């Protein structure tokens, strides 16, 4: 619903008054011309013939006045309509050709308010498209770079496997390296497809009501073999009967990625903690680890695609997990933040509307 604007009402009233004066002026001129011609040229003899002659002369004068108004209107349209339309059209054509740096300059003068609104919308669109184009270019460059590493690994170890004097131990080692690299490549493609569908809103939330504590426990238990192998201590503080209305499948992506990172960056003998609490509005999940931690500069970029702050663990991921997490949290209208200290650990906090 359009908001009431005193300035808009005043503008409409001014426009009405202008037309009223213009119509009144034209009608008055026509009447004065008619009466003037009738009285001056016909010696005040109001015969039908004299009136007809005066009417013809008055009609000719009206045509002349109309021509004058038409000329003024033509000049007005050229200056106040066609010129701004041409400027906006030329800018739009440049944007269509891929030049997102162009902008429509603000136009000054009476009646330019509407065109300036269109110009602002086009400028905002061009700015958004410019950002999208930059992201697309970076995304393609990053995908190409990330694909080279596992492909190079598979190629190198595949070549080594062709050696005739290769021991069984080496053969198994090289085969495992190829399998790990291919799995990493497959995971990256899967995450790219998921992220692309999320960013293009091709995945729509399907909210259901479920017990968030149960879902967290199920996600955590998937990493039981990992924490047993690395002798990691597990601490949980999960409040009972916390139900949320959200897309369970999308949320499982969040927990799986956060738990995966927690166990990946926690060394042997470390600790991973899970806490769940709630208030009247939000359910709050905290996933903490005692891993290597990260600096504030790294923390500012961790939700970007392909960003990996700790290159020592680069072979265990592809830098897309946290980008997926951030996108999912945004879709369900939740909140996520991270607190980390180098050498102490990291805590991710996710808030979900109940």
């Amino acid at each position: 619903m359009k908001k009431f604007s005193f300035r808009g009402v005043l503008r409409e009233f001014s426009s009405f008054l202008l037309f009223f004066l213009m119509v009144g002026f034209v009608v008055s001129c026509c009447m004065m011309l008619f009466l003037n011609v009738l009285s001056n040229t016909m010696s005040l003899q109001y015969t039908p013939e004299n009136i007809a002659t005066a009417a013809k002369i008055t009609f000719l004068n009206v045509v002349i006045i109309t021509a004058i108004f038409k000329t003024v209107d033509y000049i007005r349209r050229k200056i106040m309509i066609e010129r701004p339309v041409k400027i906006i059209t030329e800018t739009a054509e440049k944007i269509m050709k891929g030049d997102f740096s162009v902008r429509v300059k603000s136009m000054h003068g009476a009646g330019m308010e509407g065109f300036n609104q269109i110009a602002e919308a086009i400028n905002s669109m061009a700015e958004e498209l410019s950002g999208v184009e930059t992201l697309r270019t970076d995304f393609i460059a990053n995908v190409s770079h990330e694909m080279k590493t596992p492909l190079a690994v598979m190629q190198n170890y595949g070549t080594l496997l062709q050696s005739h004097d290769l021991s069984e131990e080496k053969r198994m080692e090289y085969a495992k390296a190829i399998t790990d690299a291919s799995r990493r490549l497959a995971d990256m493609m899967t995450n790219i497809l998921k992220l692309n569908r999320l960013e293009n809103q091709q995945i729509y939330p399907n909210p259901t009501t479920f017990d968030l504590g149960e879902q967290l426990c199920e996600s955590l238990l998937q990493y039981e073999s990992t924490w047993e192998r690395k002798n990691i201590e597990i601490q949980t503080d999960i409040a009972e009967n916390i139900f949320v209305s959200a897309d369970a499948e999308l949320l499982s992506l969040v927990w799986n990625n956060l738990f995966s990172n927690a166990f990946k960056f926690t060394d042997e003998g470390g600790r991973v903690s899970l806490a769940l609490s709630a208030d009247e509005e939000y359910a709050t999940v905290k996933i903490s680890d005692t891993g290597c931690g990260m600096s504030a500069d790294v923390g500012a970029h961790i939700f970007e695609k392909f960003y990996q702050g700790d290159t020592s663990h680069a072979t265990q991921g592809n830098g897309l997990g946290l980008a997926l997490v951030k996108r999912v949290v945004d879709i369900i209208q939740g909140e996520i933040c991270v607190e980390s200290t180098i050498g102490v650990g990291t805590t991710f906090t996710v808030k979900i509307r109940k």
Side-chain angles (χ1 to χ4, degrees), residues 223-234 263:
Y223 297 90
E224 184 175 5
S225 59
T226 302
W227 81 58
E228 288 182 348
R229 176 172 52 83
K230 297 179 71 173
N231 192 29
I232 294 175
E233 178 188 354
I234 303 297
F263 288 113

Side-chain angles (χ1 to χ4, degrees), residues 108-266:
H108 304 285
M112 293 292 107
E113 295 85 358
F115 290 112
N116 283 329
Q117 289 180 359
I118 297 173
E120 289 177 7
I122 289 178
N123 290 341
S124 298
M125 179 186 69
E127 189 173 350
E128 289 293 327
L129 288 173
S130 177
V132 170
E133 179 64 17
T134 302
L135 288 174
R136 186 186 69 85
T137 304
D138 292 344
F139 182 77
I140 292 174
N142 284 324
V143 168
S144 302
H145 179 267
E146 291 295 323
M147 286 181 65
K148 286 180 180 178
T149 303
L151 287 173
V153 169
M154 289 187 284
Q155 182 180 4
N156 292 336
Y157 281 106
T159 303
L160 291 172
L161 278 173
Q162 297 175 21
S163 301
H164 298 291
D165 56 346
L166 198 63
S167 66
E168 183 66 16
E169 182 181 355
K170 287 293 183 182
R171 187 181 67 81
M172 293 298 295
E173 179 184 342
Y174 296 161
K176 184 179 182 302
I178 293 175
T179 302
D180 292 342
S182 62
R183 185 181 294 113
R184 182 187 172 198
L185 187 61
D187 289 342
M188 183 176 67
M189 292 298 105
T190 300
N191 284 336
I192 287 174
L193 290 174
K194 287 179 181 177
L195 191 56
N196 182 63
R197 292 176 66 191
L198 286 169
E199 289 183 335
N200 289 285
Q201 296 183 343
Q202 295 175 356
I203 294 180
Y204 299 96
N206 180 27
T208 57
T209 302
F210 59 94
D211 191 323
L212 184 57
E214 288 185 5
Q215 186 189 50
L216 286 167
C217 290
E218 290 173 1
S219 297
L220 180 60
L221 287 172
Q222 294 180 29
Y223 297 90
E224 184 175 5
S225 59
T226 302
W227 81 58
E228 288 182 348
R229 176 172 52 83
K230 297 179 71 173
N231 192 29
I232 294 175
E233 178 188 354
I234 303 297
Q235 287 186 352
T236 59
D237 182 13
I238 301 175
E240 296 182 351
N241 298 322
I242 295 181
F243 290 86
V244 294
S245 179
D247 191 310
E249 185 177 352
L250 286 179
L251 266 182
S252 67
L253 282 174
V254 174
W255 314 136
N256 288 338
N257 277 287
L258 293 181
F259 282 133
S260 175
N261 280 348
F263 288 113
K264 178 171 70 175
F265 291 105
T266 301

